[in-house]
Amino acid sequence: MQVCLGAGQDVGRSCILVSIAGKNVMLDCGMHMGFSDDRRFPDFSYITRSGRLTDFLDCVIISHFHLDHCGALPYFSEMVGYDGPIYMTQPTQAICPILLEDYRKIAVDKKVVEITKHIHDNRALRYVELLPLSGTVQEPQSTSNAFTPPLTHWLLSPCILIPSACETPGTSPLMLVDDELEIKAYYAGHVLGAAMFQIKVGSESVVYTGDYNMTPDRHLGAAWIDKCRPNLLITESTYATTIRDSKRCRERDFLKKVHETVERGGKVLIPVFALGRAQELCILLETFWERMDLKAPIYFSTGLTEKANHYYKLFIPWTNQKIRKTFVQRNMFEFKHVKAFDRAFADSPGPMVVFATPGMLHAGQSLQIFRKWAGNEKNMVIMPGYCVQGTVGHKILSGQRKLEMEGRQVLEVKMQVEYMSFSAHADAKGIMQLVGQAEPENVLLVHGEAKKMEFLKQKIEQEFRVSCYMPANGETVTLPTSPSIPVGISLGLLKRELAQGLLPDSKKPRLLHGTLIMKDSNFRLVSSEQALKELGLAEHQLRFTCRVHLHDTRKEQETAVRVYSHLKSVLKDHCVQHLPDGSVTVESILIQAAAHSEDPGTKVLLVSWTYQDEELGSYLTSLLKKGLPQAS
Ligand SMILES: [Zn+2]
């Protein structure tokens, strides 16, 4: 079963709750950048209803550092009260707090400001106790490191993925969350440190992609997954209907537009996320400027350049092969033409190119610059990524040229607005490719718009003949699985089976009787005797007793003797005994003679047997009911 708390038929605030074989895992904990009311966070009330969250959730997994995938973490831990384990890759763990900090600076709504304030509140750090994993205890992070203000309880996965770089697909080894829950990470491309995750409990498994890119770009490799055949693949579908033109065409187009604008003395604004596309586009412009010997300045806004480069250098194994090779000879991330931006530069005359955050023009420096430059038709804004509804970025991309800013001020947009899909999401072709690689039994689409999802859903169902779902937020999808449970068979039981002359044949399934015992989550089929022995139990005996009336005036002892000699003569193949206490036994069957309470001329025979000897017991009863031969 699984539930979408966010990103159901929507882009933003990714948050999916998956229940698999009794384990509850939350996939991503993102925020929606298009809202500033309650809709900006996933609806956690769905799980808070189940009681204490930390008890309910076995773990939280974060796919990558984008805020629509991890932005609600501070709220989730500080306000909702979750303090269980959170899994993420090392680069994500390092970079995510910078983005949150960056967001706090520009956040307009009080709630977010208040919550994120806790990041630097030392009291919040009391949560930091990294859990032992795979037998190793992680040292708590030093709190003096300015780049890693741990939110709460960051549980570092011990894996460092081997990056794919196309020729060496990257996966992590399996990590055990507990005795039953296993996690495996796959390289996802998209941004530094992004990963797709396989969650496995017994024979059931789910793969969650987060955001991924199936084509390598200038600084990262392509996403890769093996034929893991999960019961369910949960994939993003941001570009569900887009088949993007070739990478090279897009790059040429981008450079042409920037070049033309700069040539005619205009300014180019490129709103970007702090890390990700920005680095790729910087590499692209840097090479072009060098080749064309251009003089117009290129700036990268705020102090983020340094931080970004710091992390790319730190996590160079996560980048693609070309970058890794170049890095040995020359640091690809130290740019000759790209310089740090100062606020005052925006008013300088003449052409320039500025990379500014945030990427959707919803606040901060990119929006400030946009407002300054929007009135001049010589200028250009290039949106290189997806913009969620409600942001200025989305508005201008959908053609709005008169924007109402705060204070009822109307901003007229005369500058050219361009959109270039450099966003590192898989397109329709890429999503189909991933489904083909993983061979899932079912597919579930998240992180996309309903109409586009519908199109992709049909395509997937037709091509792969698997069920495809696209739940809305809060909607539950339940998938029946037929888990195969391996059961060990004891040697004793096998030997007994073989003794009956039946040789095992893998092609012919057959019934095997025994007692099933579960120990340490393992099942074994053993004989009932062995089960009793292992469990220290005594067998419970159930005896049936039947009364048979006989006409006999002699004493009970003599009746017993007569019964004995009769049975002895009739049942030649059985062991018939006359015991010292006067009772008679035939195998396990016991026969006793007693006086009748009212009639001295009648004797009562009590015949008793266990359920195993039911057949012989009832035979004896019917035999005795016929009476005894006359005494000689
Ligand atoms: Zn992303």
Side-chain angles (χ1 to χ4, degrees):
M1 179 206 77
Q2 75 85 42
V3 181
C4 276
L5 303 179
Q9 301 179 4
D10 188 13
V11 177
R13 56 167 183 172
S14 281
C15 188
I16 299 137
L17 178 69
V18 171
S19 294
I20 167 171
K23 298 283 171 185
N24 300 310
V25 177
M26 199 164 92
L27 303 167
D28 279 337
C29 189
M31 73 191 300
H32 202 301
M33 316 289 280
F35 297 117
S36 55
D37 54 19
D38 279 349
R39 287 172 295 177
R40 100 191 132 242
F41 294 130
D43 184 5
F44 295 117
S45 67
Y46 184 88
I47 33 180
T48 43
R49 259 179 271 155
S50 325
R52 218 174 89 81
L53 257 175
T54 311
D55 297 337
F56 176 73
L57 280 181
D58 289 279
C59 72
V60 174
I61 296 172
I62 302 293
S63 63
H64 63 291
F65 61 66
H66 278 154
L67 292 185
D68 57 336
H69 293 261
C70 68
L73 267 183
Y75 174 76
F76 190 56
S77 54
E78 303 296 330
M79 307 298 267
V80 186
Y82 176 76
D83 63 352
I86 301 167
Y87 287 84
M88 60 186 78
T89 66
Q90 252 179 329
T92 306
Q93 190 257 0
I95 299 165
C96 170
I98 311 177
L99 264 81
L100 279 166
E101 171 66 21
D102 182 36
Y103 183 74
R104 189 177 67 88
K105 285 184 198 147
I106 57 168
V108 278
D109 72 283
K110 283 182 192 144
K111 203 167 180 181
V112 168
V113 174
E114 194 191 316
I115 299 160
T116 39
K117 235 195 274 174
H118 287 275
I119 297 174
H120 295 298
D121 183 342
N122 280 339
R123 276 179 306 135
L125 298 179
R126 69 181 180 272
Y127 291 119
V128 180
E129 38 155 320
L130 298 173
L131 294 180
L133 196 67
S134 310
T136 56
V137 181
Q138 303 269 340
E139 287 298 318
Q141 294 276 316
S142 154
T143 52
S144 61
N145 187 340
F147 289 141
T148 50
L151 292 179
T152 61
H153 220 127
W154 293 107
L155 181 62
L156 250 182
S157 63
C159 73
I160 294 190
L161 305 188
I162 308 151
S164 85
C166 313
E167 77 288 356
T168 45
T171 60
S172 76
L174 278 175
M175 294 173 277
L176 281 177
V177 177
D178 58 32
D179 290 352
E180 291 150 89
L181 183 58
E182 295 168 71
I183 299 178
K184 189 178 183 181
Y186 293 93
Y187 190 79
H190 187 58
V191 288
L192 194 67
M196 308 188 281
F197 285 91
Q198 184 188 27
I199 302 111
K200 206 170 169 207
V201 183
S203 61
E204 293 175 49
S205 68
V206 171
V207 167
Y208 173 59
T209 65
D211 293 346
Y212 63 102
N213 193 2
M214 293 299 279
T215 44
D217 61 26
R218 279 177 186 269
H219 72 312
L220 297 174
W224 178 87
I225 197 160
D226 55 9
K227 219 171 270 307
C228 54
R229 297 194 174 96
N231 297 107
L232 176 66
L233 170 73
I234 304 175
T235 174
E236 66 135 324
S237 48
T238 320
Y239 291 109
T241 52
T242 320
I243 308 260
R244 279 172 296 171
D245 45 5
S246 88
K247 185 102 189 165
R248 209 162 268 179
C249 281
R250 263 180 296 148
E251 290 182 350
R252 216 180 296 139
D253 219 24
F254 169 76
L255 292 170
K256 194 169 155 240
K257 284 193 170 119
V258 174
H259 192 195
E260 280 171 6
T261 310
V262 174
E263 285 291 284
R264 65 167 180 256
K267 295 175 164 62
V268 182
L269 171 65
I270 308 169
V272 285
F273 279 115
L275 293 109
R277 271 344 72 201
Q279 276 68 31
E280 197 193 356
L281 297 180
C282 274
I283 295 171
L284 195 60
L285 281 188
E286 170 86 4
T287 339
F288 187 70
W289 248 237
E290 185 81 37
R291 198 172 71 224
M292 306 290 287
D293 195 23
L294 298 177
K295 296 287 179 270
I298 306 172
Y299 298 116
F300 200 118
S301 83
T302 68
L304 280 166
T305 338
E306 281 165 45
K307 281 183 194 171
N309 280 327
H310 169 80
Y311 285 107
Y312 275 96
K313 282 179 209 163
L314 198 62
F315 299 116
I316 202 85
W318 287 75
T319 56
N320 73 25
Q321 204 200 20
K322 199 175 156 202
I323 289 287
R324 271 180 283 156
K325 270 189 185 158
T326 319
F327 188 69
V328 183
Q329 298 151 14
R330 178 177 85 95
N331 183 2
M332 195 68 172
F333 289 104
E334 271 163 21
F335 302 111
K336 190 173 148 200
H337 298 275
V338 186
K339 301 269 164 12
F341 179 74
D342 186 279
R343 196 179 288 233
F345 295 170
D347 299 316
S348 312
M352 69 176 80
V353 179
V354 176
F355 288 94
T357 57
M360 299 183 194
L361 283 181
H362 57 279
Q365 198 153 39
S366 60
L367 187 58
Q368 277 170 22
I369 300 171
F370 173 76
R371 289 170 74 159
K372 277 188 182 167
W373 295 358
N376 189 339
E377 61 272 14
K378 267 206 277 183
N379 299 339
M380 178 183 279
V381 58
I382 302 179
M383 307 297 294
Y386 183 86
C387 290
V388 296
Q389 214 152 6
T391 58
V392 171
H394 188 268
K395 282 177 193 158
I396 56 167
L397 281 180
S398 47
Q400 268 193 50
R401 289 296 174 262
K402 284 200 169 96
L403 304 172
E404 197 176 316
M405 309 308 275
E406 67 263 29
R408 301 234 167 148
Q409 204 190 335
V410 174
L411 179 68
E412 204 174 332
V413 183
K414 287 187 186 154
M415 80 196 297
Q416 295 183 43
V417 179
E418 293 289 340
Y419 174 69
M420 311 228 66
S421 169
F422 278 100
S423 186
H425 289 273
D427 60 5
K429 207 172 128 205
I431 297 169
M432 296 300 277
Q433 205 184 326
L434 188 89
V435 175
Q437 270 181 24
E439 288 190 6
E441 284 170 19
N442 300 278
V443 177
L444 192 145
L445 304 177
V446 293
H447 204 279
E449 290 161 21
K451 256 192 208 156
K452 296 181 181 176
M453 280 183 172
E454 188 59 52
F455 170 83
L456 187 66
K457 174 179 141 74
Q458 284 180 8
K459 226 176 136 177
I460 289 173
E461 286 181 333
Q462 273 170 15
E463 189 162 332
F464 299 104
R465 309 212 168 275
V466 297
S467 301
C468 186
Y469 306 86
M470 39 175 283
N473 286 336
E475 214 177 293
T476 304
V477 173
T478 308
L479 296 173
T481 52
S482 44
S484 61
I485 302 168
V487 174
I489 299 174
S490 78
L491 198 59
L493 199 66
L494 259 186
K495 277 184 182 163
R496 187 192 290 180
E497 195 70 8
L498 288 175
Q500 290 176 3
L502 299 165
L503 285 171
D505 181 352
S506 61
K507 285 185 198 114
K508 284 186 202 152
R510 71 165 193 260
L511 276 176
L512 197 62
H513 292 275
T515 306
L516 193 65
I517 24 183
M518 191 178 109
K519 212 173 177 183
D520 305 327
S521 323
N522 287 321
F523 286 103
R524 272 187 318 129
L525 193 70
V526 300
S527 65
S528 50
E529 297 83 11
Q530 195 178 339
L532 288 170
K533 209 172 129 193
E534 283 187 28
L535 299 169
L537 296 174
E539 193 175 7
H540 193 79
Q541 288 272 355
L542 193 63
R543 288 190 86 88
F544 301 94
T545 302
C546 194
R547 298 160 75 91
V548 179
H549 291 207
L550 273 186
H551 181 73
D552 194 348
T553 51
R554 280 163 284 197
K555 284 203 159 63
E556 297 98 86
Q557 291 90 332
E558 290 170 49
T559 310
V561 174
R562 284 180 67 205
V563 168
Y564 169 71
S565 26
H566 174 56
L567 294 180
K568 185 93 183 149
S569 66
V570 178
L571 306 169
K572 295 248 164 26
D573 297 336
H574 290 80
C575 169
V576 184
Q577 284 179 299
H578 191 199
L579 302 182
D581 67 354
S583 55
V584 176
T585 59
V586 180
E587 311 289 351
S588 74
I589 291 143
L590 180 73
I591 305 159
Q592 288 167 307
H596 194 281
S597 56
E598 284 156 27
D599 180 6
T602 301
K603 295 291 169 289
V604 182
L605 293 179
L606 301 166
V607 186
S608 87
W609 63 89
T610 65
Y611 72 99
Q612 288 99 329
D613 285 321
E614 170 72 30
E615 217 171 314
L616 185 59
S618 40
Y619 170 69
L620 282 183
T621 314
S622 57
L623 191 70
L624 290 169
K625 272 182 181 164
K626 285 179 194 155
L628 300 173
Q630 286 306 307
S632 51

